[in-house]
Amino acid sequence: MIILITGASHTGKTLLAQRMLEKYHMPYLSIDHLKMGLIRSGHTGLTPLSDTAALTDYLWPIVREMVKTAIENNQNLIVEGCYIPFDWRQELGGDYLSSIRFVCLAMSDAYIDAHFDDILAHASDIESRMDDDCTLEGVKEDNHAVTEGFRRFGETVTLIERDYEKTIESLL
């Protein structure tokens, strides 16, 4: 079983992946770790501040083939990160798709408005965020883009509207 976790920034993708790792004892791949390894090793001219679309175009083919390899070897893997394209299913055949559970996290505007201070306070709970220029409007824009993009391709988006912990628990 492969669990793909994606979504908007600051929604708790890494927290969910960590909790799944602890509950299911499955290995976990952070696409951010892969990104930084490739950047720091000089295997790409991209930077952490590069456009998300450019990073997705670079990283997804690598991640996609890692997912295929894990499925072919009957291995479990949690893959977490924002660099999963909206049309990710189109690049994987039906044989692969039956082994993938897809989770996309986003927050409603009302949730963001009511809990923005909490979002900021918990931004580094699992991973340290350096130079996090998180703004209320930026978080809303990112959540809108993710929600609209994945829904356009028929994906279910788990929308955090009221109780964050209950929403995350429901995904476990």
Side-chain angles (χ1 to χ4, degrees), residues 142-163:
D142 189 31
N143 278 270
H144 291 178
V146 165
T147 300
E148 292 166 12
F150 281 110
R151 284 184 176 164
R152 188 172 62 246
F153 284 91
E155 299 294 347
T156 299
V157 176
T158 299
L159 196 60
I160 301 163
E161 298 184 271
R162 290 182 192 88
D163 189 321

Side-chain angles (χ1 to χ4, degrees), residues 16-80:
L16 178 59
Q18 181 68 34
R19 287 188 183 173
M20 286 183 168
L21 174 149
E22 292 166 1
K23 182 173 183 172
Y24 300 114
H25 306 285
M26 291 172 64
Y28 146 46
L29 169 71
S30 166
I31 301 175
D32 277 337
H33 291 175
L34 176 63
K35 171 186 77 176
M36 292 309 299
L38 291 164
I39 289 170
R40 288 180 172 171
S41 66
H43 283 83
T44 179
L46 297 168
T47 73
L49 301 176
S50 292
D51 178 68
T52 301
L55 286 163
T56 300
D57 289 348
Y58 181 72
L59 294 166
W60 175 244
I62 298 166
V63 172
R64 180 191 66 226
E65 296 308 314
M66 292 172 73
V67 165
K68 286 180 177 178
T69 301
I71 292 169
E72 290 162 358
N73 287 291
N74 295 313
Q75 296 170 318
N76 297 320
L77 182 63
I78 299 164
V79 179
E80 172 270 323

Side-chain angles (χ1 to χ4, degrees), residues 91-104:
E91 298 179 16
L92 294 165
D95 293 341
Y96 293 109
L97 293 176
S98 63
S99 298
I100 298 173
R101 176 181 172 205
F102 178 76
V103 177
C104 180

Side-chain angles (χ1 to χ4, degrees), residues 132-147:
D132 189 11
D133 61 349
C134 179
T135 65
L136 180 75
E137 284 308 313
V139 171
K140 285 182 178 181
E141 287 174 18
D142 189 31
N143 278 270
H144 291 178
V146 165
T147 300

